[in-house]
C-alpha cells in the first residue's frame, strides 16, 4: 500500500509560479512510476506529467502538451517526494492537482494508477 499526500497549492496570479510536493509512504518509492494529473470543474482528469523508472537511477519524464515548456517534474527518492514546478501559470491551469503512483510503465492514463493523493487546489487569477 502507498499513501500519497500533496501540498503546495494555492492562489497565484497569471504568469506566476508554484511548486507542488507529494510525499509518498508505505512502499518502495524509487521504482514506482509517479505522475501528476489535474481536474478542473466539469472536465475529465487530465495527464500533466510523469516520471517512469527505467533502471538504476534512470527515469524518463513525460509531459502533457498543455504544460510542456512550463512545468517540470522531479523526484527526490531519499525524501520519497515528487515535485511539480509550475511556471508561467495561466488561468486555464486552474484545477485540483493529484499525485498518483503505479507499478509498471504506462504513464498517461489515470485508470492505470493504483494509488492517489487527496489533491491540492491550484487557482490562477487572470
Amino acid at each position: 500500500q502507498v499513501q500519497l499526500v500533496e501540498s503546495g497549492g494555492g492562489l497565484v496570479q497569471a504568469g506566476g509560479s508554484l511548486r507542488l510536493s507529494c510525499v509518498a509512504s508505505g512502499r518502495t518509492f524509487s521504482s514506482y512510476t509517479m505522475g501528476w494529473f489535474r481536474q478542473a470543474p466539469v472536465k475529465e482528469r487530465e495527464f500533466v506529467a510523469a516520471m517512469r523508472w527505467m533502471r538504476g537511477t534512470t527515469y524518463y519524464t513525460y509531459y502533457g502538451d498543455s504544460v510542456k515548456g512550463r512545468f517540470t517534474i522531479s523526484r527526490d527518492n531519499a525524501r520519497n517526494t515528487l515535485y511539480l514546478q509550475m511556471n508561467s501559470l495561466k488561468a486555464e491551469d486552474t484545477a485540483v492537482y493529484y499525485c498518483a503512483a503505479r507499478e509498471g510503465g504506462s504513464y498517461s492514463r489515470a485508470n492505470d494508477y493504483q494509488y492517489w493523493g487527496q489533491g491540492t487546489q491550484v487557482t490562477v487569477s487572470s
Side-chain angles (χ1 to χ4, degrees):
Q1 193 74 5
V2 175
Q3 293 81 42
L4 303 172
V5 178
E6 304 100 332
S7 62
L11 174 64
V12 64
Q13 289 188 333
S17 299
L18 281 176
R19 188 176 81 156
L20 305 183
S21 299
C22 171
V23 178
S25 61
R27 293 287 296 272
T28 302
F29 174 76
S30 61
S31 62
Y32 274 65
T33 292
M34 300 294 298
W36 289 99
F37 291 78
R38 66 186 183 187
Q39 190 164 19
V42 303
K43 289 189 175 181
E44 292 188 355
R45 196 161 291 192
E46 177 189 10
F47 169 70
V48 175
M51 291 189 76
R52 181 162 66 102
W53 179 71
M54 296 303 296
R55 67 187 68 82
T57 57
T58 301
Y59 294 88
Y60 285 179
T61 58
Y62 307 90
Y63 295 93
D65 289 341
S66 61
V67 306
K68 281 180 183 176
R70 300 188 298 122
F71 291 10
T72 302
I73 189 172
S74 62
R75 63 198 292 167
D76 183 343
N77 289 335
R79 290 184 166 85
N80 277 11
T81 302
L82 181 74
Y83 301 101
L84 184 68
Q85 178 66 44
M86 305 185 294
N87 298 330
S88 302
L89 282 161
K90 306 175 182 179
E92 51 264 44
D93 294 318
T94 295
V96 177
Y97 283 71
Y98 296 91
C99 171
R102 64 155 298 172
E103 297 179 89
S106 173
Y107 60 87
S108 65
R109 295 183 304 186
N111 287 344
D112 289 339
Y113 284 77
Q114 292 101 353
Y115 307 105
W116 291 85
Q118 82 288 350
T120 185
Q121 176 71 46
V122 172
T123 303
V124 184
S125 62
S126 56

